[in-house]
Amino acid sequence: GKRHSVFIDGEGRLSLCGSEAGFPGLLGHGEGATRLNTPTRLPSKLGGERAASVSAGVGHSLALTADGAVWSWGDGGFGQLGHGDSQDQRQPKKIDALADRRVVAASAGAVHSLAITADGS
């Protein structure tokens, strides 16, 4: 991303580093974590699933789990987190609108997110 990086380890766990400056929740570590100088593991386990891929946008991030679920966190000011509102998320939250679909790819942009499902929709 512009001010942060997201990493996946061999067990599918996420770590982040960077600065939240201007983007609440960007680092996904909840209240109080506004700058991480080294990769620091997320406290959230993504519902117990392994992360398969991640995408770091300008002010938000997405994680795709091995079971095809998408999780988002960070700045939600334009609805880019996919939760049907414009609230920021300080920790990863599963996108319920995609719960009945198997997502195979997801990408976080500046103020938008994209997902491709197994059936191509």
Side-chain angles (χ1 to χ4, degrees):
K2 184 175 181 177
R3 299 178 182 182
H4 73 297
S5 298
V6 186
F7 307 89
I8 305 174
D9 70 15
E11 296 179 17
R13 295 175 300 201
L14 300 180
S15 294
L16 288 92
C17 63
S19 172
E20 281 194 356
F23 299 104
L26 184 61
L27 299 176
H29 285 265
E31 295 286 337
T34 59
R35 183 176 186 88
L36 300 170
N37 293 325
T38 59
T40 304
R41 186 174 295 151
L42 272 180
S44 169
K45 305 269 191 205
L46 304 177
E49 290 294 322
R50 296 171 53 103
S53 68
V54 293
S55 180
V58 172
H60 71 292
S61 294
L62 302 174
L64 176 63
T65 58
D67 67 348
V70 182
W71 295 68
S72 65
W73 65 95
D75 178 28
F78 293 92
Q80 65 269 39
L81 298 181
H83 301 296
D85 58 32
S86 59
Q87 293 190 5
D88 302 332
Q89 293 297 323
R90 294 196 173 273
Q91 293 183 321
K93 181 178 178 180
K94 189 174 185 177
I95 301 176
D96 291 333
L98 297 172
D100 62 341
R101 301 175 185 203
R102 178 161 175 72
V103 175
V104 296
S107 182
V111 292
H112 66 283
S113 297
L114 302 171
I116 299 173
T117 62
D119 66 5
S121 61

PDB file of all heavy atoms in Angstrom, residues 60-89:
ATOM      1  N   HIS A  60      -6.857   0.927   2.862  1.00  0.00           N
ATOM      2  CA  HIS A  60      -7.486  -0.289   3.383  1.00  0.00           C
ATOM      3  C   HIS A  60      -6.786  -1.516   2.805  1.00  0.00           C
ATOM      4  O   HIS A  60      -5.989  -1.393   1.869  1.00  0.00           O
ATOM      5  CB  HIS A  60      -8.983  -0.316   3.055  1.00  0.00           C
ATOM      6  CG  HIS A  60      -9.311  -0.545   1.611  1.00  0.00           C
ATOM      7  ND1 HIS A  60      -9.030   0.375   0.611  1.00  0.00           N
ATOM      8  CD2 HIS A  60      -9.903  -1.591   0.986  1.00  0.00           C
ATOM      9  CE1 HIS A  60      -9.457  -0.091  -0.556  1.00  0.00           C
ATOM     10  NE2 HIS A  60      -9.983  -1.295  -0.352  1.00  0.00           N
ATOM     11  N   SER A  61      -7.085  -2.668   3.390  1.00  0.00           N
ATOM     12  CA  SER A  61      -6.504  -3.923   2.913  1.00  0.00           C
ATOM     13  C   SER A  61      -7.565  -4.996   2.839  1.00  0.00           C
ATOM     14  O   SER A  61      -8.601  -4.925   3.515  1.00  0.00           O
ATOM     15  CB  SER A  61      -5.383  -4.384   3.846  1.00  0.00           C
ATOM     16  OG  SER A  61      -4.300  -3.494   3.803  1.00  0.00           O
ATOM     17  N   LEU A  62      -7.294  -6.010   2.023  1.00  0.00           N
ATOM     18  CA  LEU A  62      -8.159  -7.173   1.880  1.00  0.00           C
ATOM     19  C   LEU A  62      -7.331  -8.434   2.085  1.00  0.00           C
ATOM     20  O   LEU A  62      -6.166  -8.478   1.694  1.00  0.00           O
ATOM     21  CB  LEU A  62      -8.770  -7.232   0.482  1.00  0.00           C
ATOM     22  CG  LEU A  62      -9.594  -6.053   0.006  1.00  0.00           C
ATOM     23  CD1 LEU A  62      -9.978  -6.240  -1.459  1.00  0.00           C
ATOM     24  CD2 LEU A  62     -10.836  -5.900   0.869  1.00  0.00           C
ATOM     25  N   ALA A  63      -7.948  -9.436   2.676  1.00  0.00           N
ATOM     26  CA  ALA A  63      -7.338 -10.761   2.776  1.00  0.00           C
ATOM     27  C   ALA A  63      -8.329 -11.771   2.231  1.00  0.00           C
ATOM     28  O   ALA A  63      -9.518 -11.731   2.572  1.00  0.00           O
ATOM     29  CB  ALA A  63      -6.984 -11.093   4.217  1.00  0.00           C
ATOM     30  N   LEU A  64      -7.862 -12.665   1.391  1.00  0.00           N
ATOM     31  CA  LEU A  64      -8.658 -13.762   0.852  1.00  0.00           C
ATOM     32  C   LEU A  64      -8.208 -15.018   1.561  1.00  0.00           C
ATOM     33  O   LEU A  64      -7.010 -15.324   1.582  1.00  0.00           O
ATOM     34  CB  LEU A  64      -8.426 -13.878  -0.660  1.00  0.00           C
ATOM     35  CG  LEU A  64      -9.111 -15.025  -1.390  1.00  0.00           C
ATOM     36  CD1 LEU A  64     -10.625 -14.906  -1.304  1.00  0.00           C
ATOM     37  CD2 LEU A  64      -8.653 -15.052  -2.838  1.00  0.00           C
ATOM     38  N   THR A  65      -9.153 -15.735   2.180  1.00  0.00           N
ATOM     39  CA  THR A  65      -8.792 -16.953   2.907  1.00  0.00           C
ATOM     40  C   THR A  65      -8.900 -18.172   2.003  1.00  0.00           C
ATOM     41  O   THR A  65      -9.497 -18.125   0.927  1.00  0.00           O
ATOM     42  CB  THR A  65      -9.674 -17.140   4.160  1.00  0.00           C
ATOM     43  OG1 THR A  65     -11.043 -17.196   3.767  1.00  0.00           O
ATOM     44  CG2 THR A  65      -9.466 -16.004   5.151  1.00  0.00           C
ATOM     45  N   ALA A  66      -8.322 -19.267   2.455  1.00  0.00           N
ATOM     46  CA  ALA A  66      -8.281 -20.498   1.677  1.00  0.00           C
ATOM     47  C   ALA A  66      -9.679 -21.011   1.331  1.00  0.00           C
ATOM     48  O   ALA A  66      -9.859 -21.682   0.317  1.00  0.00           O
ATOM     49  CB  ALA A  66      -7.494 -21.566   2.433  1.00  0.00           C
ATOM     50  N   ASP A  67     -10.684 -20.671   2.151  1.00  0.00           N
ATOM     51  CA  ASP A  67     -12.049 -21.131   1.878  1.00  0.00           C
ATOM     52  C   ASP A  67     -12.825 -20.185   0.967  1.00  0.00           C
ATOM     53  O   ASP A  67     -14.006 -20.375   0.724  1.00  0.00           O
ATOM     54  CB  ASP A  67     -12.815 -21.369   3.182  1.00  0.00           C
ATOM     55  CG  ASP A  67     -13.081 -20.090   3.967  1.00  0.00           C
ATOM     56  OD1 ASP A  67     -12.493 -19.042   3.641  1.00  0.00           O
ATOM     57  OD2 ASP A  67     -13.888 -20.151   4.913  1.00  0.00           O
ATOM     58  N   GLY A  68     -12.167 -19.131   0.452  1.00  0.00           N
ATOM     59  CA  GLY A  68     -12.806 -18.214  -0.484  1.00  0.00           C
ATOM     60  C   GLY A  68     -13.528 -17.051   0.146  1.00  0.00           C
ATOM     61  O   GLY A  68     -14.261 -16.338  -0.534  1.00  0.00           O
ATOM     62  N   ALA A  69     -13.331 -16.801   1.439  1.00  0.00           N
ATOM     63  CA  ALA A  69     -13.942 -15.646   2.109  1.00  0.00           C
ATOM     64  C   ALA A  69     -13.015 -14.438   1.983  1.00  0.00           C
ATOM     65  O   ALA A  69     -11.799 -14.581   1.872  1.00  0.00           O
ATOM     66  CB  ALA A  69     -14.188 -15.959   3.585  1.00  0.00           C
ATOM     67  N   VAL A  70     -13.600 -13.247   2.002  1.00  0.00           N
ATOM     68  CA  VAL A  70     -12.820 -12.011   1.924  1.00  0.00           C
ATOM     69  C   VAL A  70     -13.019 -11.216   3.213  1.00  0.00           C
ATOM     70  O   VAL A  70     -14.143 -11.056   3.689  1.00  0.00           O
ATOM     71  CB  VAL A  70     -13.232 -11.147   0.718  1.00  0.00           C
ATOM     72  CG1 VAL A  70     -12.372  -9.893   0.635  1.00  0.00           C
ATOM     73  CG2 VAL A  70     -13.147 -11.941  -0.575  1.00  0.00           C
ATOM     74  N   TRP A  71     -11.910 -10.724   3.757  1.00  0.00           N
ATOM     75  CA  TRP A  71     -11.902  -9.908   4.969  1.00  0.00           C
ATOM     76  C   TRP A  71     -11.325  -8.552   4.611  1.00  0.00           C
ATOM     77  O   TRP A  71     -10.406  -8.455   3.780  1.00  0.00           O
ATOM     78  CB  TRP A  71     -11.033 -10.573   6.032  1.00  0.00           C
ATOM     79  CG  TRP A  71     -11.566 -11.885   6.518  1.00  0.00           C
ATOM     80  CD1 TRP A  71     -11.656 -13.051   5.809  1.00  0.00           C
ATOM     81  CD2 TRP A  71     -12.089 -12.179   7.801  1.00  0.00           C
ATOM     82  NE1 TRP A  71     -12.195 -14.046   6.575  1.00  0.00           N
ATOM     83  CE2 TRP A  71     -12.475 -13.528   7.817  1.00  0.00           C
ATOM     84  CE3 TRP A  71     -12.271 -11.414   8.960  1.00  0.00           C
ATOM     85  CZ2 TRP A  71     -13.023 -14.140   8.931  1.00  0.00           C
ATOM     86  CZ3 TRP A  71     -12.813 -12.019  10.072  1.00  0.00           C
ATOM     87  CH2 TRP A  71     -13.196 -13.372  10.050  1.00  0.00           C
ATOM     88  N   SER A  72     -11.846  -7.487   5.233  1.00  0.00           N
ATOM     89  CA  SER A  72     -11.345  -6.142   4.948  1.00  0.00           C
ATOM     90  C   SER A  72     -11.138  -5.369   6.240  1.00  0.00           C
ATOM     91  O   SER A  72     -11.751  -5.673   7.271  1.00  0.00           O
ATOM     92  CB  SER A  72     -12.317  -5.391   4.036  1.00  0.00           C
ATOM     93  OG  SER A  72     -13.557  -5.171   4.685  1.00  0.00           O
ATOM     94  N   TRP A  73     -10.264  -4.368   6.171  1.00  0.00           N
ATOM     95  CA  TRP A  73     -10.035  -3.478   7.315  1.00  0.00           C
ATOM     96  C   TRP A  73      -9.400  -2.192   6.821  1.00  0.00           C
ATOM     97  O   TRP A  73      -8.859  -2.128   5.732  1.00  0.00           O
ATOM     98  CB  TRP A  73      -9.183  -4.143   8.390  1.00  0.00           C
ATOM     99  CG  TRP A  73      -7.780  -4.469   7.972  1.00  0.00           C
ATOM    100  CD1 TRP A  73      -6.672  -3.697   8.171  1.00  0.00           C
ATOM    101  CD2 TRP A  73      -7.327  -5.642   7.292  1.00  0.00           C
ATOM    102  NE1 TRP A  73      -5.563  -4.321   7.650  1.00  0.00           N
ATOM    103  CE2 TRP A  73      -5.937  -5.521   7.109  1.00  0.00           C
ATOM    104  CE3 TRP A  73      -7.967  -6.782   6.810  1.00  0.00           C
ATOM    105  CZ2 TRP A  73      -5.175  -6.489   6.469  1.00  0.00           C
ATOM    106  CZ3 TRP A  73      -7.211  -7.747   6.169  1.00  0.00           C
ATOM    107  CH2 TRP A  73      -5.832  -7.604   6.015  1.00  0.00           C
ATOM    108  N   GLY A  74      -9.519  -1.154   7.662  1.00  0.00           N
ATOM    109  CA  GLY A  74      -8.940   0.150   7.342  1.00  0.00           C
ATOM    110  C   GLY A  74     -10.003   1.205   7.142  1.00  0.00           C
ATOM    111  O   GLY A  74     -11.091   1.147   7.724  1.00  0.00           O
ATOM    112  N   ASP A  75      -9.705   2.175   6.291  1.00  0.00           N
ATOM    113  CA  ASP A  75     -10.588   3.301   6.008  1.00  0.00           C
ATOM    114  C   ASP A  75     -11.764   2.846   5.155  1.00  0.00           C
ATOM    115  O   ASP A  75     -11.575   2.275   4.085  1.00  0.00           O
ATOM    116  CB  ASP A  75      -9.780   4.384   5.278  1.00  0.00           C
ATOM    117  CG  ASP A  75     -10.612   5.584   4.879  1.00  0.00           C
ATOM    118  OD1 ASP A  75     -11.611   5.871   5.562  1.00  0.00           O
ATOM    119  OD2 ASP A  75     -10.265   6.234   3.886  1.00  0.00           O
ATOM    120  N   GLY A  76     -12.979   3.099   5.651  1.00  0.00           N
ATOM    121  CA  GLY A  76     -14.176   2.709   4.912  1.00  0.00           C
ATOM    122  C   GLY A  76     -14.988   3.880   4.407  1.00  0.00           C
ATOM    123  O   GLY A  76     -16.146   3.716   4.045  1.00  0.00           O
ATOM    124  N   GLY A  77     -14.395   5.063   4.373  1.00  0.00           N
ATOM    125  CA  GLY A  77     -15.104   6.299   4.083  1.00  0.00           C
ATOM    126  C   GLY A  77     -15.888   6.341   2.788  1.00  0.00           C
ATOM    127  O   GLY A  77     -16.842   7.106   2.665  1.00  0.00           O
ATOM    128  N   PHE A  78     -15.540   5.518   1.814  1.00  0.00           N
ATOM    129  CA  PHE A  78     -16.253   5.511   0.534  1.00  0.00           C
ATOM    130  C   PHE A  78     -16.983   4.178   0.304  1.00  0.00           C
ATOM    131  O   PHE A  78     -17.378   3.872  -0.813  1.00  0.00           O
ATOM    132  CB  PHE A  78     -15.283   5.775  -0.621  1.00  0.00           C
ATOM    133  CG  PHE A  78     -14.722   7.166  -0.601  1.00  0.00           C
ATOM    134  CD1 PHE A  78     -13.525   7.430   0.052  1.00  0.00           C
ATOM    135  CD2 PHE A  78     -15.404   8.214  -1.205  1.00  0.00           C
ATOM    136  CE1 PHE A  78     -13.012   8.715   0.084  1.00  0.00           C
ATOM    137  CE2 PHE A  78     -14.902   9.503  -1.176  1.00  0.00           C
ATOM    138  CZ  PHE A  78     -13.703   9.759  -0.522  1.00  0.00           C
ATOM    139  N   GLY A  79     -17.114   3.373   1.365  1.00  0.00           N
ATOM    140  CA  GLY A  79     -17.786   2.081   1.238  1.00  0.00           C
ATOM    141  C   GLY A  79     -16.900   0.985   0.686  1.00  0.00           C
ATOM    142  O   GLY A  79     -17.360  -0.125   0.407  1.00  0.00           O
ATOM    143  N   GLN A  80     -15.602   1.257   0.523  1.00  0.00           N
ATOM    144  CA  GLN A  80     -14.684   0.318  -0.115  1.00  0.00           C
ATOM    145  C   GLN A  80     -14.429  -0.963   0.672  1.00  0.00           C
ATOM    146  O   GLN A  80     -13.878  -1.914   0.134  1.00  0.00           O
ATOM    147  CB  GLN A  80     -13.356   1.005  -0.456  1.00  0.00           C
ATOM    148  CG  GLN A  80     -12.539   1.475   0.726  1.00  0.00           C
ATOM    149  CD  GLN A  80     -12.842   2.898   1.148  1.00  0.00           C
ATOM    150  OE1 GLN A  80     -13.979   3.328   1.134  1.00  0.00           O
ATOM    151  NE2 GLN A  80     -11.808   3.627   1.532  1.00  0.00           N
ATOM    152  N   LEU A  81     -14.838  -1.014   1.940  1.00  0.00           N
ATOM    153  CA  LEU A  81     -14.623  -2.233   2.724  1.00  0.00           C
ATOM    154  C   LEU A  81     -15.673  -3.301   2.437  1.00  0.00           C
ATOM    155  O   LEU A  81     -15.495  -4.456   2.802  1.00  0.00           O
ATOM    156  CB  LEU A  81     -14.598  -1.905   4.220  1.00  0.00           C
ATOM    157  CG  LEU A  81     -13.478  -0.961   4.658  1.00  0.00           C
ATOM    158  CD1 LEU A  81     -13.543  -0.740   6.168  1.00  0.00           C
ATOM    159  CD2 LEU A  81     -12.117  -1.477   4.246  1.00  0.00           C
ATOM    160  N   GLY A  82     -16.775  -2.923   1.799  1.00  0.00           N
ATOM    161  CA  GLY A  82     -17.777  -3.908   1.386  1.00  0.00           C
ATOM    162  C   GLY A  82     -18.768  -4.322   2.444  1.00  0.00           C
ATOM    163  O   GLY A  82     -19.441  -5.332   2.298  1.00  0.00           O
ATOM    164  N   HIS A  83     -18.908  -3.530   3.510  1.00  0.00           N
ATOM    165  CA  HIS A  83     -19.821  -3.886   4.602  1.00  0.00           C
ATOM    166  C   HIS A  83     -21.152  -3.146   4.536  1.00  0.00           C
ATOM    167  O   HIS A  83     -21.933  -3.203   5.476  1.00  0.00           O
ATOM    168  CB  HIS A  83     -19.142  -3.649   5.951  1.00  0.00           C
ATOM    169  CG  HIS A  83     -17.890  -4.429   6.114  1.00  0.00           C
ATOM    170  ND1 HIS A  83     -17.859  -5.809   6.153  1.00  0.00           N
ATOM    171  CD2 HIS A  83     -16.592  -4.036   6.199  1.00  0.00           C
ATOM    172  CE1 HIS A  83     -16.615  -6.219   6.265  1.00  0.00           C
ATOM    173  NE2 HIS A  83     -15.826  -5.167   6.295  1.00  0.00           N
ATOM    174  N   GLY A  84     -21.406  -2.429   3.445  1.00  0.00           N
ATOM    175  CA  GLY A  84     -22.674  -1.742   3.282  1.00  0.00           C
ATOM    176  C   GLY A  84     -22.763  -0.423   4.032  1.00  0.00           C
ATOM    177  O   GLY A  84     -23.855   0.117   4.199  1.00  0.00           O
ATOM    178  N   ASP A  85     -21.634   0.086   4.503  1.00  0.00           N
ATOM    179  CA  ASP A  85     -21.611   1.369   5.203  1.00  0.00           C
ATOM    180  C   ASP A  85     -20.291   2.075   4.898  1.00  0.00           C
ATOM    181  O   ASP A  85     -19.524   1.611   4.058  1.00  0.00           O
ATOM    182  CB  ASP A  85     -21.789   1.173   6.712  1.00  0.00           C
ATOM    183  CG  ASP A  85     -20.732   0.265   7.331  1.00  0.00           C
ATOM    184  OD1 ASP A  85     -19.569   0.253   6.858  1.00  0.00           O
ATOM    185  OD2 ASP A  85     -21.040  -0.439   8.303  1.00  0.00           O
ATOM    186  N   SER A  86     -20.039   3.177   5.566  1.00  0.00           N
ATOM    187  CA  SER A  86     -18.786   3.894   5.338  1.00  0.00           C
ATOM    188  C   SER A  86     -17.966   3.978   6.618  1.00  0.00           C
ATOM    189  O   SER A  86     -17.190   4.912   6.808  1.00  0.00           O
ATOM    190  CB  SER A  86     -19.068   5.296   4.790  1.00  0.00           C
ATOM    191  OG  SER A  86     -19.877   6.028   5.688  1.00  0.00           O
ATOM    192  N   GLN A  87     -18.126   2.988   7.479  1.00  0.00           N
ATOM    193  CA  GLN A  87     -17.393   2.965   8.741  1.00  0.00           C
ATOM    194  C   GLN A  87     -16.005   2.368   8.565  1.00  0.00           C
ATOM    195  O   GLN A  87     -15.809   1.450   7.765  1.00  0.00           O
ATOM    196  CB  GLN A  87     -18.161   2.168   9.790  1.00  0.00           C
ATOM    197  CG  GLN A  87     -19.450   2.835  10.192  1.00  0.00           C
ATOM    198  CD  GLN A  87     -20.072   2.163  11.399  1.00  0.00           C
ATOM    199  OE1 GLN A  87     -19.510   1.260  11.985  1.00  0.00           O
ATOM    200  NE2 GLN A  87     -21.252   2.614  11.766  1.00  0.00           N
ATOM    201  N   ASP A  88     -15.055   2.900   9.326  1.00  0.00           N
ATOM    202  CA  ASP A  88     -13.710   2.336   9.360  1.00  0.00           C
ATOM    203  C   ASP A  88     -13.740   1.042  10.163  1.00  0.00           C
ATOM    204  O   ASP A  88     -14.564   0.873  11.061  1.00  0.00           O
ATOM    205  CB  ASP A  88     -12.738   3.313  10.041  1.00  0.00           C
ATOM    206  CG  ASP A  88     -12.682   4.667   9.342  1.00  0.00           C
ATOM    207  OD1 ASP A  88     -12.932   4.718   8.124  1.00  0.00           O
ATOM    208  OD2 ASP A  88     -12.387   5.663  10.030  1.00  0.00           O
ATOM    209  N   GLN A  89     -12.857   0.120   9.829  1.00  0.00           N
ATOM    210  CA  GLN A  89     -12.723  -1.133  10.578  1.00  0.00           C
ATOM    211  C   GLN A  89     -11.296  -1.216  11.089  1.00  0.00           C
ATOM    212  O   GLN A  89     -10.354  -1.226  10.293  1.00  0.00           O
ATOM    213  CB  GLN A  89     -13.034  -2.343   9.696  1.00  0.00           C
ATOM    214  CG  GLN A  89     -14.467  -2.431   9.258  1.00  0.00           C
ATOM    215  CD  GLN A  89     -15.422  -2.614  10.414  1.00  0.00           C
ATOM    216  OE1 GLN A  89     -15.133  -3.308  11.388  1.00  0.00           O
ATOM    217  NE2 GLN A  89     -16.569  -1.983  10.324  1.00  0.00           N
TER     218      GLN A  89
END
